[in-house]
Amino acid sequence: MILLTTLRGDRFGLNPDLVEEIRANGTNCVVTMITGRSFTAAEDVDTVHHILNEHRVEVLRQASTPADAADTAGRHPDYLTPVPSKEQ
């Protein structure tokens, strides 16, 4: 979830995977979801864009970091084990 602010100052969360479009509306931003539902955020378009990108970077960072680095030191989980080349 990403957290944004309503025009009244209340915080609300959105699923960033469902965001279809962000559009400037004066100093505010309208976020349209793939469901067609729209939300108006007090943040500007650049701020919402930055929040969305930072969320995705964090998800990818967590996905690429082993849960317990000490336990997997030098080893890969099975799904990350390199496939040997045909020459080996």
Side-chain angles (χ1 to χ4, degrees):
M1 286 289 190
I2 61 167
L3 295 176
L4 299 175
T5 310
T6 67
L7 297 179
R8 288 192 260 170
D10 299 325
R11 301 287 281 163
F12 68 100
L14 288 177
N15 182 341
D17 297 325
L18 301 179
V19 172
E20 179 177 6
E21 176 182 74
I22 55 175
R23 183 177 298 231
N25 183 15
T27 59
N28 306 320
C29 177
V30 176
V31 180
T32 304
M33 311 302 282
I34 62 173
T35 60
R37 191 166 177 196
S38 295
F39 298 90
T40 302
E43 292 82 3
D44 62 30
V45 171
D46 291 333
T47 301
V48 174
H49 182 256
H50 178 75
I51 291 169
L52 287 167
N53 283 340
E54 287 299 311
H55 173 77
R56 288 188 172 96
V57 166
E58 180 62 20
V59 167
L60 291 172
R61 186 190 64 74
Q62 287 180 12
S64 64
T65 303
D68 184 1
D71 182 45
T72 59
R75 297 181 297 141
H76 294 285
D78 290 340
Y79 61 90
L80 293 179
T81 302
V83 176
S85 67
K86 292 182 180 180
E87 297 169 359
Q88 292 181 351

